[in-house]
Amino acid sequence: MKLQRKNRLRATALGALAVSGALVLTACGSDDNSGGSTGGNGGKTSAASNIKCDDAKGQLPASGSSAQKNAMDLWAKNYMAGCSGVEINYKSSSSGEGIVAFNQGTVGFAGSDSALKPEEVADSKKICKGGQGINLPMVGGPIAIGFHLEGVDSLTLDAPTLAKIFDGKIKKWNDPAIAKLNSGAKLPDKAIQAFHRSEDSGTTQNLGKYLGAAAPSDWKYEAEKKWPAPGGQAASGSSGVAAQVKQVDGSIGYFELSYATSQSISTVDINTGGATPVKATPENASKAIAAAKIKGTGKDLALDLDYTTKAEGAYPIVLVTYEIVCDKGNKAETLSTVKSFLNYTAGDEGQKLLTEAGYAPIPTEINSKVRETIASLS
């Protein structure tokens, strides 16, 4: 805080982002590009972080993907520190629940780790007057396979072995298939406890897409949001699965990488058939996501990911979380806030935070189209 000339006292807010993701929030005002003052956010840019607050105001409810929760928490706190009078309320639940909420008209946008299905697009037209729901890729990252096995700190698995583990066909940690991939490791004669999501989840669907593509002989299930295989144990949300893996010796589960890094959970290296097994890192996930193609039409930017890549250093179990909005027919009371907030998350500052939080930024070529689409929302 400082006293400016002509006795103009202005409160500002600085979002102090530490490595842990902690942000300190204080009340804030805003400046326009010329340094002129304003009593609100109308058409202005926050002096604190160069966030374009525009006409953002009031509450913006949103819900969906728990995989992007840690990113959304950082974004919301930093954005609210830069734009006074705005409250971003993101409920971390699941992709399925987010889409339901969006198509019921109770949220300004939804987060989903899977693109809208045709029937969900059709439902969205009831809410998006004169338009429809579209997918904006915003968060990338690896789906980490976390494990907890006392005495074992490093583990390599491939798609067929993972498929058999999650399908209950491989039941012990010293199974020959696991031992073959981990020469020299002291694998215990311990039962495997596999954890999966209890609710409809885009993370589940993306894992299913990987297993179905990379191990078609061993994973016969359709890639759906609902967990398809018998057996195993269920937990709610990525946070719930990660908590179980953290606590239970002999366990394995899947969740977004930031849940593993924040709780110091060991993650599996994936043997893709390349020269060396690939670690779950934002950088390695980016290599896989960079090869994605846009399969959506019009303003829809749904992506086609290659789960069978053998490119050196490309981590194949990836997800992209979409923010789902109306191309036309967004609610008038939240449209300005939706556009301002998503402009921030898709901007250089918002995308930079992803790497720091263990996520992967959306490749530049795709992200430029995301920004163009956000600007055109009505």
Side-chain angles (χ1 to χ4, degrees), residues 142 257 279-286 315 358 360:
L257 180 62
K279 295 185 178 298
T281 68
E283 295 77 15
N284 292 343
S286 289
Y315 184 82

Side-chain angles (χ1 to χ4, degrees), residues 142-346:
I143 299 174
I145 307 298
F147 71 97
H148 179 177
L149 190 58
E150 295 295 336
V152 178
D153 297 323
S154 178
L155 188 68
T156 295
L157 297 173
D158 58 12
T161 307
L162 274 172
K164 292 171 186 174
I165 288 173
F166 281 115
D167 199 21
K169 301 293 175 56
I170 292 180
K171 302 180 182 295
K172 291 290 189 73
W173 279 111
N174 63 347
D175 187 276
I178 300 177
K180 183 178 180 180
L181 292 165
N182 296 273
S183 178
K186 295 182 179 179
L187 299 169
D189 182 17
K190 184 184 292 291
I192 296 174
Q193 298 192 56
F195 286 90
H196 58 262
R197 294 281 290 273
S198 60
E199 74 285 2
D200 286 2
S201 160
T203 311
T204 294
Q205 187 171 38
N206 279 279
L207 176 64
K209 289 178 180 178
Y210 163 72
L211 294 175
S217 297
D218 299 293
W219 191 257
K220 302 293 188 180
Y221 306 102
E222 293 293 326
E224 299 291 349
K225 293 185 178 74
K226 184 177 181 61
W227 181 254
Q233 301 180 60
S236 177
S238 291
S239 59
V241 175
Q244 291 298 318
V245 173
K246 176 73 173 179
Q247 296 170 9
V248 179
D249 185 21
S251 62
I252 189 170
Y254 59 93
F255 32 80
E256 195 280 321
L257 180 62
S258 66
Y259 290 93
T261 54
S262 65
Q263 299 185 52
S264 298
I265 297 172
S266 297
T267 60
V268 171
D269 298 341
I270 301 299
N271 184 333
T272 64
T276 57
V278 186
K279 295 185 178 298
T281 68
E283 295 77 15
N284 292 343
S286 289
K287 293 177 183 178
I289 296 171
K293 306 296 183 184
I294 295 175
K295 65 179 180 180
T297 58
K299 293 182 180 180
D300 183 75
L301 299 177
L303 301 179
D304 187 13
L305 299 169
D306 180 8
Y307 297 98
T308 62
T309 179
K310 292 180 174 60
E312 198 62 32
Y315 184 82
I317 318 177
V318 294
L319 62 76
V320 169
T321 293
Y322 301 95
E323 310 312 338
I324 295 171
V325 294
C326 300
D327 56 357
K328 299 178 182 178
N330 290 280
K331 293 181 179 180
E333 61 268 27
T334 57
L335 175 59
S336 293
T337 307
V338 167
K339 293 178 71 171
S340 172
F341 179 63
L342 295 185
N343 266 322
Y344 163 65
T345 65

Side-chain angles (χ1 to χ4, degrees), residues 71-88:
M72 190 59 68
D73 285 348
L74 293 180
W75 280 337
K77 289 178 181 179
N78 207 29
Y79 179 84
M80 289 188 292
C83 296
S84 63
V86 182
E87 186 175 350
I88 309 297

